[in-house]
Amino acid sequence: INAEYMGQQQRERNIKLSKMKGGTSNSTYKCNNVQCCEILQGRCCLTNCFHIFCQKCITLTKIKCPVCKMANVRVKIINTNVNQICTQTLLIGLSIDEIVSAAHYALRFAYIQQEFENRFHAMKVAGYKKVSEQLREQIEHLKAQNLKISEEKKQLIADNKILYHKAKELEGLNLSIVEAQETIKATKVDNTINPTNLQTTQQKKRKAEREIGGKIQ
């Protein structure tokens, strides 16, 4: 009576657990094609090399496994959405040898899938590291470019200052030239009025020309 009662209690717990899980197994297996990795729900394809795929990535006529490249693989359709109670009663009625063989098959499949998960995780980590390294190199390149631009900017500012001072010098030189030309014109007028000042005018002219020549140099 106690055994029957315990069995009834277990069945009721299984029914509640099945309802909580929506009547399906909580499988998180992914398609073993690394270009896909879709979470498998419902019907999918299982090979005799214990790799599992969605129906888009392998067909029943596929003769080579996309993962291990095993030739002439056999493919069968399985369903991952198995009722919780069904999974607990699948082995009922089988012999001990059959149960052990089924358990060995299931453990082999779980081991292969765990290997795939580890390899897939390692590939993702390696991809993240590669992207991180590329970003680091780009940041260093941008820093070097910014430093170069900053140095060029400083050089341009210095050059502009030099050009500004030269422009001021040229402006002063032009004013000196204009003043010298006015002086020369004035001395010419004085010479026409008073020829006795010709020698003095020529001296002033030569002096002005020397001053202009010195400033140009």
Side-chain angles (χ1 to χ4, degrees):
I1 295 174
N2 290 335
E4 183 177 356
Y5 175 78
M6 294 297 293
Q8 179 64 27
Q9 292 294 316
Q10 182 64 39
R11 284 193 293 273
E12 290 177 359
R13 283 195 295 270
N14 289 339
I15 292 173
K16 291 180 180 179
L17 182 62
S18 177
K19 290 180 178 179
M20 289 174 63
K21 293 184 177 181
T24 60
S25 65
N26 192 24
S27 172
T28 56
Y29 290 124
K30 299 182 182 68
C31 176
N32 290 174
N33 181 4
V34 294
Q35 303 297 328
C36 176
C37 291
E38 177 183 340
I39 295 178
L40 298 173
Q41 296 291 339
R43 291 166 61 86
C44 53
C45 300
L46 176 66
T47 66
N48 61 323
C49 55
F50 299 100
H51 291 116
I52 192 168
F53 304 93
C54 66
Q55 291 181 310
K56 295 181 294 183
C57 294
I58 196 170
T59 63
L60 296 178
T61 58
K62 192 90 173 181
I63 60 174
K64 182 182 288 187
C65 176
V67 178
C68 64
K69 309 303 179 186
M70 178 180 176
N72 300 318
V73 294
R74 296 188 301 276
V75 181
K76 63 180 179 181
I77 302 296
I78 63 171
N79 187 359
T80 59
N81 292 340
V82 180
N83 185 277
Q84 184 72 17
I85 297 178
C86 181
T87 60
Q88 295 181 350
T89 58
L90 285 175
L91 302 180
I92 294 177
L94 299 180
S95 67
I96 294 177
D97 290 340
E98 290 173 330
I99 293 173
V100 170
S101 177
H104 175 76
Y105 187 90
L107 289 172
R108 178 64 178 166
F109 170 76
Y111 175 78
I112 293 294
Q113 290 307 305
Q114 187 60 52
E115 279 189 335
F116 169 78
E117 284 292 332
N118 294 340
R119 188 169 64 252
F120 179 70
H121 178 70
M123 288 175 60
K124 289 204 306 185
V125 170
Y128 294 150
K129 287 182 178 179
K130 184 177 180 181
V131 171
S132 177
E133 186 63 28
Q134 290 175 346
L135 289 175
R136 190 178 296 108
E137 290 177 357
Q138 291 178 359
I139 289 172
E140 293 298 328
H141 180 67
L142 289 174
K143 285 182 178 179
Q145 282 187 332
N146 288 336
L147 181 60
K148 184 179 179 181
I149 291 172
S150 178
E151 293 296 331
E152 290 178 350
K153 183 179 179 180
K154 290 179 181 178
Q155 186 61 42
L156 286 173
I157 292 173
D159 291 342
N160 286 335
K161 288 182 179 179
I162 293 172
L163 290 174
Y164 175 78
H165 290 304
K166 287 188 176 294
K168 286 294 183 181
E169 290 177 0
L170 289 174
E171 184 178 353
L173 183 59
N174 288 333
L175 291 175
S176 299
I177 292 172
V178 171
E179 290 175 357
Q181 289 175 346
E182 293 295 333
T183 301
I184 292 170
K185 289 180 181 179
T187 54
K188 286 182 179 179
V189 173
D190 291 340
N191 290 337
T192 56
I193 297 173
N194 189 3
T196 59
N197 295 330
L198 179 60
Q199 184 176 2
T200 304
T201 302
Q202 289 176 349
Q203 290 177 353
K204 290 181 180 181
K205 180 179 179 181
R206 284 194 295 270
K207 182 179 179 181
E209 289 175 348
R210 283 196 301 271
E211 290 178 354
I212 293 169
K215 290 184 179 180
I216 293 173
Q217 291 177 355

